[in-house]
Amino acid sequence: MTVTLADVAARAQVSPATVSRVLNGNYPVAASTRERVLRAVDELDYVLNGPASALAAATSDLVGILVHDIADPFFGIMASAIQAEIGGTGGRAGGERLAVVCNTGGLPERELTYLTLLQRQRAAAVVLTGGAVENAPHAAAVATKLRKLAEAGTRVVLCGRPPVVDTPAIALAFDNRGGARQLTEHLLGLGHRRLGYIAGPEERTTTRHRLEGHRAALAAQGIEDDPRRTVHGRYDRRSGYEATLELLRRDPSLTAVVAANDSVALGACAALRESGLRVPDDVSVAGFDDLPFSVDAVPSLTTVRLPLAEAGARAGRIAMGREEAPPGGMATVRGELMVRGSSGVPRR
Amino acid sequence: MTVTLADVAARAQVSPATVSRVLNGNYPVAASTRERVLRAVDELDYVLNGPASALAAATSDLVGILVHDIADPFFGIMASAIQAEIGGTGGRAGGERLAVVCNTGGLPERELTYLTLLQRQRAAAVVLTGGAVENAPHAAAVATKLRKLAEAGTRVVLCGRPPVVDTPAIALAFDNRGGARQLTEHLLGLGHRRLGYIAGPEERTTTRHRLEGHRAALAAQGIEDDPRRTVHGRYDRRSGYEATLELLRRDPSLTAVVAANDSVALGACAALRESGLRVPDDVSVAGFDDLPFSVDAVPSLTTVRLPLAEAGARAGRIAMGREEAPPGGMATVRGELMVRGSSGVPRR
DNA sequence: CTGTTAGCGCTTTCAG
DNA sequence: CTGAAAGCGCTAACAG
């Protein structure tokens, strides 16, 4: 019924082994033979059987990409960049490798489940994007899983995620702490002294690092860290909206709001506007990530640009073994402060 | 070296077949036996070999999702919804199915390549999202490919894409024409008579349908369709920015700009603003899709909301055979006009 | 409810 | 440079 490699071999009058060799192009084959085989493939409209091939070769053309939420451009941009690099030449059987995108929702169990599923598929590589959940048992479970994947020959790369100790995983970590610190320093430099901070979910490395950077900047100025000026939420607009209302309730004299990311910052802007406050005249707002829409906000958002596409591309190349891993198995990717319209000197 | 199903069988003192049965849960097995097997799986830390399983069963747990650009929330939202539906219960070997997201960049060749790759993987289903390229040879090639996939047992679903004739593909098409017409009617109702239109790339169904809807509304009002009022571009912000400048150059007296989608509309707003024109006081702007950021723009965008997540979820369910296909193998998904701040009565 | 028996379609030594 | 042969690890009849 379905055409197999043996059919192609018969038609081209060669052995199955030879067909396999021309298809994989990883072995010398006479040009004339190759041509004959290729013609047979064409005439028969043959399509290689991926699972069979993966079984025999003990590795597949699949690359797993774990993201918290693919609908969020933060992850979409990285996924897109990774995907662009893993395709193309190289790889077995005709080049292209397929990206398996897994939405974990940031949930530990789902992360582990997907990792197991990818292990089951004998994925050629796995790239984990975004911050990690900070929870000892889970972190240990992930580390164990990554180790097993690596043992089975799967390359493991972390993109925008801190290194995992005792693991062969290559890490490209974002300098969230440094970026956040710079951002808050910018606001302090403008003269702000009463700043609210909308943090991401607790128990997440990204959340913690950004918050630490913010506090470090405050501390350097000798500003006391009032816990009432920090609110935790999710990494979305809605959360920013609600958190801002709460911060305003706690202290109506705030002159700046620093958000966990750009989406949150947009929510903050909306809440301020609806509270009758102007941005930045009454209250300055700052985001993080510099997603594409941030420059279009009115006023445009002051934020920290993270080179998501570049980092993703690099992660993809490393995952494919097309770029050397950084020394020590880890590299820090810095952000860049983007000063724009949403931040200004405090009123009075 | 690696643990196989046979090892588990030996340890649990049952046959390999029995182990397979408890793992797939698709066959009656005595509770005590199942427990013994599960314990062995656990003790041995066994992970099923996906390729081997797919080879033997002649079907895999992979579901392909073709998108133009995963970094674009329009596709990210659909992909996310599809993915949420294909996971979970059902499926062979423990439930979860994996989403293989393929970025086609809207390029015909890549679309075909990915379809072949998915065919190679014996994907359980394939969902094609977004508009199709209108090009006879390519359309025919895609139709042929879809037919072959279906013959091989792969379920094919189109989400936000018009039906493909002579194909078993189930289609969930967006009513782009109707939505665009409503949108332009809204503007005409406000009194606008000189409207510019920024269309998407040529040779795309989405582009054509939206443009047709726009023109139908114009025609119904007896407004002549001046070709100089239409500019083609890409579906991104940059394109909207440039196209708006061009439209303004051609006719500085425009009172409204209708954009191919929200991103383009945002670019249009930026161009107008920089040209010293206020939105909507001087020029009204309208988008399409109602992506999450659109409500946050200032002014918020008048647009047509497409139920992307709902459509994606439905497509995912149909792809999994968990929801009946619509009668005739196709359904039209309507958009909803969202009148917001970016549209108003024309000046004077 | 469980075991036996064939493969699924390909890759890869090992010879030649 | 090419062929022969031995599996890769699992599933699915078919018996029992």
Side-chain angles (χ1 to χ4, degrees):
Chain A
M1 162 72 248
T2 93
V3 185
T4 73
L5 186 143
D7 299 330
V8 176
R11 171 141 200 154
Q13 309 197 71
V14 294
S15 72
T18 300
V19 177
S20 171
R21 294 199 261 251
V22 338
L23 257 26
N24 288 298
N26 52 7
Y27 217 81
V29 173
S32 64
T33 311
R34 152 177 295 110
E35 205 175 317
R36 203 142 32 87
V37 170
L38 257 19
R39 185 143 26 85
V41 165
D42 231 58
E43 292 168 346
L44 261 33
D45 201 16
Y46 169 67
V47 175
L48 187 70
N49 183 315
S53 158
L55 170 58
T59 175
S60 75
D61 280 332
L62 301 177
V63 173
I65 302 179
L66 262 62
V67 299
H68 288 188
D69 177 13
I70 193 62
D72 181 339
F74 177 83
F75 293 100
I77 291 168
M78 283 194 284
S80 175
I82 294 168
Q83 216 245 15
E85 293 290 338
I86 64 172
T89 56
R92 296 165 41 262
E96 300 279 348
R97 247 165 265 93
L98 290 172
V100 175
V101 175
C102 308
N103 255 55
T104 65
L107 302 177
E109 325 82 66
R110 290 185 63 77
E111 192 163 282
L112 246 13
T113 302
Y114 277 124
L115 250 16
T116 300
L117 252 22
L118 290 165
Q119 180 182 10
R120 173 183 294 185
Q121 296 296 335
R122 304 301 187 254
V126 169
V127 181
L128 292 89
T129 66
V133 173
E134 299 204 288
N135 166 297
H138 175 245
V142 168
T144 302
K145 198 48 125 179
L146 296 186
R147 228 173 282 124
K148 277 190 193 129
L149 278 163
E151 272 167 25
T154 297
R155 271 213 190 72
V156 180
V157 182
L158 309 178
C159 181
R161 195 173 172 122
V164 179
V165 291
D166 287 337
T167 270
I170 305 302
L172 259 37
F174 291 137
D175 180 24
N176 286 308
R177 207 183 269 109
R181 177 166 182 157
Q182 260 189 82
L183 189 59
T184 297
E185 280 170 350
H186 156 68
L187 259 9
L188 293 172
L190 248 23
H192 293 274
R193 285 301 174 273
R194 293 186 301 283
L195 341 204
Y197 189 88
I198 308 177
E202 315 224 30
E203 290 210 319
R204 294 275 259 277
T205 54
T206 307
T207 299
R208 181 165 61 80
H209 293 158
R210 292 184 182 178
L211 188 47
E212 285 174 1
H214 170 71
R215 289 184 172 154
L218 252 32
Q221 282 288 321
I223 299 180
E224 162 206 24
D225 174 37
D226 182 345
R228 293 176 48 76
R229 292 248 170 79
T230 297
V231 173
H232 279 272
R234 281 154 292 120
Y235 278 117
D236 61 24
R237 171 184 191 274
R238 178 82 182 280
S239 182
Y241 183 90
E242 291 163 357
T244 300
L245 259 23
E246 174 63 23
L247 284 172
L248 245 25
R249 200 173 303 127
R250 295 187 187 172
D251 180 0
S253 73
L254 281 183
T255 65
V257 172
V258 183
N261 74 5
D262 290 349
S263 296
V264 172
L266 249 40
C269 288
L272 291 167
R273 216 176 298 122
E274 290 182 22
S275 302
L277 295 166
R278 287 160 307 164
V279 177
D281 313 75
D282 297 315
V283 178
S284 287
V285 173
F288 210 109
D289 295 343
D290 194 23
L291 295 186
F293 58 74
S294 305
V295 68
D296 269 312
V298 179
S300 55
L301 224 49
T302 287
T303 184
V304 174
R305 161 171 297 174
L306 248 27
L308 300 174
E310 292 81 346
R314 190 166 169 207
R317 271 179 263 122
I318 293 174
M320 277 358 309
R322 285 202 278 108
E323 177 172 323
E324 220 180 321
M330 91 146 278
T332 298
V333 177
R334 304 210 175 286
E336 182 191 356
L337 178 63
M338 307 298 288
V339 174
R340 292 200 280 242
S342 70
S343 60
V345 296
R347 71 200 144 187
R348 206 98 9 129
Chain B
M1 163 71 248
T2 92
V3 184
T4 73
L5 185 142
D7 298 331
V8 176
R11 172 139 199 156
Q13 311 197 70
V14 294
S15 72
T18 300
V19 177
S20 172
R21 296 200 262 253
V22 338
L23 256 26
N24 288 300
N26 51 6
Y27 219 81
V29 174
S32 64
T33 310
R34 151 176 296 110
E35 205 175 318
R36 206 141 31 88
V37 170
L38 258 19
R39 186 142 27 83
V41 165
D42 230 60
E43 292 167 349
L44 262 31
D45 202 14
Y46 170 68
V47 175
L48 186 68
N49 183 316
S53 160
L55 170 58
T59 175
S60 76
D61 280 332
L62 302 177
V63 172
I65 301 178
L66 262 62
V67 299
H68 288 188
D69 177 12
I70 194 62
D72 180 340
F74 177 84
F75 292 100
I77 291 168
M78 283 194 283
S80 174
I82 294 167
Q83 215 243 17
E85 292 291 337
I86 64 171
T89 57
R92 296 166 39 263
E96 300 280 348
R97 246 165 265 92
L98 289 172
V100 175
V101 175
C102 308
N103 254 56
T104 66
L107 301 177
E109 325 82 66
R110 290 185 64 76
E111 192 163 281
L112 247 13
T113 302
Y114 277 126
L115 249 17
T116 300
L117 252 22
L118 290 165
Q119 180 182 9
R120 174 184 292 185
Q121 295 297 334
R122 305 299 186 257
V126 169
V127 181
L128 291 90
T129 66
V133 173
E134 298 204 289
N135 166 297
H138 175 245
V142 168
T144 302
K145 200 47 130 178
L146 295 186
R147 229 173 282 124
K148 277 190 192 128
L149 278 163
E151 272 167 24
T154 297
R155 271 214 191 72
V156 181
V157 182
L158 309 177
C159 182
R161 194 174 173 122
V164 179
V165 290
D166 288 336
T167 271
I170 305 302
L172 258 38
F174 290 137
D175 180 24
N176 285 308
R177 207 183 270 110
R181 176 166 183 157
Q182 261 189 83
L183 189 60
T184 296
E185 280 170 351
H186 157 68
L187 259 9
L188 293 172
L190 247 25
H192 293 274
R193 286 301 174 271
R194 293 187 300 284
L195 340 206
Y197 189 87
I198 308 177
E202 315 223 30
E203 289 210 320
R204 295 276 259 277
T205 54
T206 307
T207 298
R208 180 165 62 79
H209 293 158
R210 292 184 183 178
L211 188 47
E212 286 173 0
H214 171 70
R215 288 183 173 157
L218 252 32
Q221 281 288 320
I223 299 180
E224 161 206 25
D225 173 37
D226 181 346
R228 293 176 49 73
R229 292 249 171 78
T230 297
V231 173
H232 279 272
R234 281 153 293 120
Y235 279 116
D236 61 23
R237 173 186 191 273
R238 179 81 182 278
S239 182
Y241 183 90
E242 290 164 357
T244 300
L245 259 23
E246 174 62 22
L247 284 172
L248 246 24
R249 201 172 302 127
R250 295 188 189 173
D251 180 0
S253 72
L254 281 182
T255 65
V257 172
V258 183
N261 74 5
D262 291 350
S263 296
V264 172
L266 248 40
C269 287
L272 290 168
R273 215 177 297 120
E274 289 182 22
S275 300
L277 296 166
R278 288 159 307 164
V279 177
D281 313 74
D282 296 314
V283 178
S284 287
V285 173
F288 210 108
D289 296 343
D290 194 24
L291 295 185
F293 59 73
S294 305
V295 68
D296 270 312
V298 179
S300 55
L301 224 49
T302 287
T303 185
V304 175
R305 161 171 296 174
L306 248 26
L308 300 173
E310 292 80 347
R314 190 166 168 205
R317 270 179 264 122
I318 294 174
M320 279 356 306
R322 286 203 276 106
E323 177 172 323
E324 219 181 320
M330 92 144 276
T332 299
V333 177
R334 304 207 177 287
E336 183 190 354
L337 177 64
M338 306 297 288
V339 174
R340 293 201 278 241
S342 69
S343 60
V345 296
R347 69 198 146 191
R348 205 104 7 129

